Amino acid sequence: MASVLPFQAVRPQANFAADVAALPYDVMTREEGQKAVAGRALSFMHVEKSEIDVPDGTRPDDPVIYETAKRNLAKLRQDGILTQDESPCYYVYRQQMGGQVQTGIVAVMSAAEYDEGKIKKHELTRQDKEDDRIRHVDTVNAQTGPVFISYLSRPRINAIVEKIVAGKPEYDFTAEDGVIHTAWVIKDASEIESLKNEFARVDALYIADGHHRAAAGATVARRRRKPGQVQESDHVLAVFFPHNQLKVMDYNRAVKDLRGLTGVQFLQKISAKFTVTENFAARSPARLHDFGMYLGGRWYCITIKEGAYDAKDPVASLDAAILQDHLLAPVLGIADPRTDDRIKFIGGIRGMAELEKLVDREGYAVAFSLYPTTMEQIMKVADTGAIMPPKSTWFEPKLRSGLFVHILEK
């Protein structure tokens, strides 16, 4: 049973939606954020990533950053750019990137259910990043960006959504990166009740992306909880997608050096666990357990040998784990990829050209392309309570921030 509830979103008026909508705070650096908002005073980046508006040299945990976010959100509301719905609603949010279309329900989920493990995780969080979001949510008094949630597709929820999207949308715009964003508001009491009841039949919710947002929302809920009272802060903003609509992209790696090995020695060493095929034309692997490898200006395909890993272990059989456990750690000495500055992670959206550039022009010794993790693999790991290796998944398209804001206290 999942508690997925309607809420009173603070959101842009329709004519401002395209100007307000912004990429998530964690997909770009401060400098990239500043460039992205040049000439865009209404961009929600000023709220989500408010360090772009503070003086250079400001410490990343300086309270002025969070107070700036609070002030920027208040101004958007005072100027009438953002307004709050009068009654709790569900919202349908559709994204289209090329041929990829995903349609989710914007709602709030229970922080208590997160604490109880009913909302399943597959990644660890970093305390510094979690603390940043806690301070942001607490100071701004709002969850400004949603957690990306998936669930096993349910025909009745799909039918309700199909009926809604047949009507006129509230928002419909194409962002600067070509992704089409369309949203509908569900105000009808009977439809709201039907959705609430259908989600109550969902066995489990899975965090696809946004583990730090979820953890921060749950922490703020615990801090603000009052016995015997139900408060807005008891809930966490999310978008809920059926699992079979989501696309997971590859999350690739580059390493700065070969740990003193020559190219020939490196190839010999990895051949103990991997079959190495030269002149690999595809570059991006076409099947599980194959890896593209760019070394010395040439592409190779390396394939883990049968029996080298535990095929029955849902974590050990992940390609990210196979590469880490059987090559990056034992051969290249990358013991902890979370902290080792010799390794760089590259989202699949950047393509193979980015891997070639890192090796050919930016001083990296070798780069690896991975076959994308599947939603079924993610759910299997989460169901066992296990944790995936870092940087195992890259979801596209990214949810935009600013279209739906969850205010915690009036």
Side-chain angles (χ1 to χ4, degrees):
M1 177 178 176
S3 178
V4 176
L5 304 174
F7 71 109
Q8 293 173 260
V10 167
R11 56 188 183 85
Q13 294 192 49
N15 54 318
F16 296 123
D19 295 319
V20 170
L23 284 166
Y25 73 96
D26 56 353
V27 300
M28 61 181 74
T29 65
R30 176 176 181 264
E31 292 71 25
E32 289 171 336
Q34 288 175 324
K35 290 179 181 178
V37 302
R40 294 188 58 195
L42 301 185
S43 171
F44 205 72
M45 191 72 68
H46 294 288
V47 177
E48 269 271 274
K49 198 174 185 69
S50 52
E51 59 263 39
I52 64 176
D53 293 333
V54 303
D56 292 346
T58 303
R59 286 177 49 213
D61 60 348
D62 194 309
V64 72
I65 293 175
Y66 309 104
E67 291 295 338
T68 299
K70 180 179 180 179
R71 185 172 62 250
N72 290 343
L73 176 58
K75 188 175 190 309
L76 287 170
R77 298 185 70 181
Q78 290 163 4
D79 292 347
I81 306 301
L82 304 181
T83 59
Q84 187 168 26
D85 285 320
E86 294 180 357
S87 60
C89 303
Y90 286 112
Y91 308 86
V92 176
Y93 179 21
R94 169 172 287 174
Q95 297 174 291
Q96 181 173 349
M97 184 180 74
Q100 164 67 10
V101 179
Q102 56 192 38
T103 307
I105 302 291
V106 186
V108 292
M109 60 186 182
S110 166
E113 290 183 2
Y114 173 89
D115 288 338
E116 294 163 4
K118 294 180 180 178
I119 298 168
K120 300 185 178 184
K121 302 172 283 188
H122 67 264
E123 287 183 4
L124 296 174
T125 57
R126 277 179 46 178
Q127 194 60 52
D128 59 336
K129 291 188 175 183
E130 193 174 320
D131 289 343
D132 167 67
R133 282 302 99 180
I134 292 169
R135 287 192 289 267
H136 190 278
V137 171
D138 220 8
T139 303
V140 179
N141 189 44
Q143 292 151 0
T144 56
V147 182
F148 194 143
I149 295 287
S150 186
Y151 61 92
L152 283 173
S153 181
R154 292 185 63 85
R156 290 189 178 182
I157 294 178
N158 296 342
I160 295 170
V161 170
E162 287 172 10
K163 178 183 175 183
I164 297 299
V165 301
K168 184 179 179 181
E170 180 81 358
Y171 304 142
D172 191 4
F173 64 90
T174 301
E176 63 281 354
D177 58 0
V179 177
I180 301 171
H181 301 267
T182 315
W184 295 259
V185 181
I186 302 178
K187 297 180 180 179
D188 181 81
S190 63
E191 290 173 335
I192 287 174
E193 192 63 21
S194 294
L195 269 177
K196 189 185 300 183
N197 291 337
E198 285 303 321
F199 271 111
R201 296 183 175 94
V202 171
D203 291 331
L205 299 175
Y206 299 85
I207 301 176
D209 202 5
H211 285 76
H212 291 92
R213 294 183 190 270
T219 298
V220 172
R222 287 193 298 273
R223 290 179 178 179
R224 297 191 179 196
R225 192 163 292 148
K226 296 178 182 178
Q229 295 184 30
V230 177
Q231 305 175 113
E232 280 301 317
S233 55
D234 291 328
H235 304 99
V236 180
L237 177 65
V239 187
F240 303 82
F241 292 94
H243 79 286
N244 53 5
Q245 290 188 17
L246 299 183
K247 180 179 181 180
V248 189
M249 296 189 74
D250 44 317
Y251 215 150
N252 302 315
R253 283 99 164 105
V255 180
K256 288 183 178 179
D257 61 75
L258 298 181
R259 203 187 184 190
L261 299 171
T262 66
V264 172
Q265 291 170 332
F266 174 70
L267 289 171
Q268 289 175 338
K269 255 188 172 303
I270 68 173
S271 294
K273 292 287 187 74
F274 294 85
T275 300
V276 180
T277 306
E278 298 186 29
N279 301 318
F280 179 47
R283 300 181 182 177
S284 185
R287 63 180 184 176
L288 202 63
H289 306 330
D290 279 356
F291 303 84
M293 183 176 73
Y294 190 63
L295 173 72
R298 299 174 65 184
W299 278 98
Y300 298 80
C301 177
I302 62 173
T303 305
I304 189 70
K305 292 181 178 179
E306 193 171 334
Y309 66 97
D310 185 353
K312 295 180 180 179
D313 187 313
V315 176
S317 59
L318 293 171
D319 279 0
I322 288 171
L323 188 67
Q324 175 61 36
D325 296 344
H326 302 285
L327 193 156
L328 296 179
V331 180
L332 295 179
I334 308 290
D336 186 352
R338 296 178 189 277
T339 59
D340 198 316
D341 61 7
R342 295 169 55 227
I343 190 168
K344 182 181 180 70
F345 298 94
I346 306 97
I349 193 70
R350 294 182 180 269
M352 297 301 103
E354 181 70 13
L355 302 185
E356 293 178 356
K357 184 182 78 169
L358 288 169
V359 174
D360 292 341
R361 301 199 295 276
E362 296 190 15
Y364 283 78
V366 63
F368 302 94
S369 57
L370 282 70
Y371 187 78
T373 307
T374 67
M375 279 304 302
E376 288 76 13
Q377 286 178 307
I378 294 170
M379 289 177 166
K380 190 173 182 180
V381 170
D383 284 340
T384 63
I387 297 297
M388 297 176 73
K391 310 297 185 183
S392 294
T393 59
W394 181 279
F395 286 89
E396 286 288 349
K398 299 293 185 185
L399 302 178
R400 288 310 196 265
S401 295
L403 294 177
F404 308 97
V405 178
H406 180 221
I407 301 296
L408 301 188
E409 294 176 10
K410 294 183 179 179

